[in-house]
Amino acid sequence: MHILVVNDDGPPSNQSSPYILLFVKTLQSAGHTVSVVLPHVQRSWIGKAHIVGQVTKPTYFRPGKNSDDGAIHSKPLTSQEDGEEWVLINGTPASATQLGLFHFFQDRGPVDVVVSGPNYGRNSSSLFSLSSGTIGGAMEGAICRKKSIALSYAFFSRDHDPSIIQAASRMSLKLIEHFSLHWDDDVDLYSINVPLVKDIQTRKVFFTYTLQNYWKSGSSFTEVEASDDEDANTQEQKIREAGELEGTTPDVVKPTRHKHKHFQWTPKFSDVYQSVEESEPGNDGWAIQQGYVRYDSSKQTLIGSVLNPGSITPLKANFMHTSLPLGELKL
């Protein structure tokens, strides 16, 4: 297959994008043609956005053996030069999908499947999913009429053991190959969450629905000192590690008393975990909590199990309407 890989975490980095390199190598080792277009920096929580008014420009990444030893170049390899090369853009995950489908790698033939991820952390429940750049990248593929999968790795430890990541990537490969051959005609994209656990090969796979939840604790922003700036990679690492490991809000600088303030995105992960605790079995958050792999379906029903590791949710590329009656509203 020709697989287009995009993400929202950017190029390989032990700090903020620790899974992409091993995942791509796993796809390649299975004999697939893999084309990679990524944002050049962290673009998490951006959904399916495109940046209006910006000229999107590429640079070229030549991966190394490890996540932190690749090289970025301003010009692509010539036709006489050998070596693997990925494309980085100063844009969003959705833009990476568009450019990967229609403007790069045209000599490799049509893309069979778009895979967005693996995301640094889970994408379960509506609170995560509605803002997810990973799901946004897959959603862009879906509205371009391509089979698309959003792939996320839920971690439970700061020790990103390469053997665990490799096992998760092998299971992801199995799921991608399964759905490419057995795609439900009513599904636009699948959102798959894989837990990073040692015994992933023994975990069951469940179809799930998306847990509908809401922010309950007020603002998702915290006022910080106007001079306190951090790069996006550092902020995303702190948000994900605090939320994934503890279900709490990351520590931030105490609020300033001055009127001139800056605001830092600090989503209340505790709201998500409380909603999971209070929910009935069968949703995506429940599946991850149980240690299953999940994929999420907008059909809102628990369908059953497939294969022998995980959990999954099929989605439509749509903000679905409610069951309210249609027709004229007379005032």
Side-chain angles (χ1 to χ4, degrees):
M1 284 190 296
H2 183 191
I3 302 173
L4 173 64
V5 174
V6 303
N7 75 0
D8 69 355
D9 292 321
S13 163
N14 288 329
Q15 180 187 38
S16 60
S17 188
Y19 312 138
I20 183 72
L21 185 61
L22 272 175
F23 175 67
V24 169
K25 288 182 177 179
T26 299
L27 298 179
Q28 292 170 332
S29 67
H32 298 296
T33 299
V34 184
S35 300
V36 184
V37 183
L38 310 174
H40 75 304
V41 295
Q42 176 65 245
R43 293 295 190 194
S44 293
W45 301 92
I46 201 167
K48 204 192 76 62
H50 298 281
I51 302 175
V52 176
Q54 172 184 280
V55 175
T56 302
K57 303 176 182 179
T59 52
Y60 306 91
F61 179 77
R62 296 163 200 172
K65 292 183 179 180
N66 303 301
S67 289
D68 280 336
D69 62 1
I72 298 175
H73 299 264
S74 60
K75 299 295 183 181
L77 290 168
T78 67
S79 57
Q80 287 76 39
E81 294 178 290
D82 294 326
E84 183 178 0
E85 189 169 67
W86 301 358
V87 177
L88 308 181
I89 63 165
N90 61 332
T92 67
S95 297
T97 299
Q98 277 275 340
L99 297 182
L101 287 175
F102 302 114
H103 297 277
F104 290 104
F105 309 111
Q106 300 301 293
D107 58 321
R108 299 180 178 181
V111 169
D112 298 297
V113 179
V114 175
V115 178
S116 184
N119 189 63
Y120 183 34
R122 70 195 68 190
N123 272 306
S124 59
S125 82
S126 59
L127 285 177
F128 285 150
S129 298
L130 286 172
S131 296
S132 170
T134 298
I135 293 179
M139 192 76 73
E140 190 71 27
I143 64 173
C144 293
R145 305 299 295 173
K146 291 293 182 179
K147 296 176 180 177
S148 299
I149 294 172
L151 178 64
S152 305
Y153 289 174
F155 61 85
F156 307 92
S157 168
R158 288 185 174 89
D159 178 20
H160 297 298
D161 186 333
S163 65
I164 294 178
I165 299 172
Q166 185 67 66
S169 296
R170 286 194 297 267
M171 200 197 68
S172 302
L173 168 65
K174 182 180 288 189
L175 289 167
I176 292 165
E177 291 178 335
H178 172 84
F179 285 113
S180 68
L181 295 174
H182 304 93
W183 198 274
D184 188 322
D185 290 340
D186 196 39
V187 173
D188 289 333
L189 67 149
Y190 290 97
S191 175
I192 301 178
N193 279 265
V194 178
L196 294 181
V197 292
K198 289 183 178 179
D199 58 347
I200 188 63
Q201 302 91 332
T202 67
R203 302 285 171 143
K204 295 179 179 180
V205 180
F206 281 90
F207 283 99
T208 62
Y209 63 88
T210 301
L211 174 65
Q212 179 65 61
N213 54 4
Y214 303 88
W215 297 124
K216 297 167 59 178
S217 302
S219 176
S220 292
F221 283 86
T222 300
E223 298 176 8
V224 298
E225 296 287 351
S227 61
D228 182 37
D229 292 325
E230 285 184 339
D231 64 88
N233 286 343
T234 301
Q235 290 181 13
E236 173 65 3
Q237 181 186 34
K238 287 185 176 180
I239 290 171
R240 280 293 181 182
E241 289 188 350
E244 292 285 324
L245 302 179
E246 303 166 15
T248 60
T249 301
D251 292 334
V252 295
V253 178
K254 292 181 180 179
T256 175
R257 295 174 62 182
H258 299 294
K259 291 184 178 180
H260 178 62
K261 302 181 180 74
H262 287 179
F263 300 90
Q264 184 171 312
W265 174 248
T266 54
K268 308 302 188 292
F269 279 56
S270 56
D271 287 355
V272 177
Y273 295 111
Q274 182 180 350
S275 67
V276 171
E277 291 288 342
E278 296 172 351
S279 69
E280 296 294 325
N283 65 76
D284 51 3
W286 164 84
I288 295 173
Q289 184 186 53
Q290 301 300 314
Y292 300 131
V293 183
R294 89 162 179 81
Y295 59 97
D296 199 288
S297 172
S298 61
K299 295 181 179 179
Q300 306 288 302
T301 56
L302 180 63
I303 302 174
S305 61
V306 298
L307 309 177
N308 190 33
S311 136
I312 301 164
T313 308
L315 298 170
K316 296 295 290 182
N318 194 347
F319 286 101
M320 295 301 291
H321 55 76
T322 68
S323 58
L324 290 174
L326 302 178
E328 180 185 0
L329 171 64
K330 294 184 178 180
L331 299 176

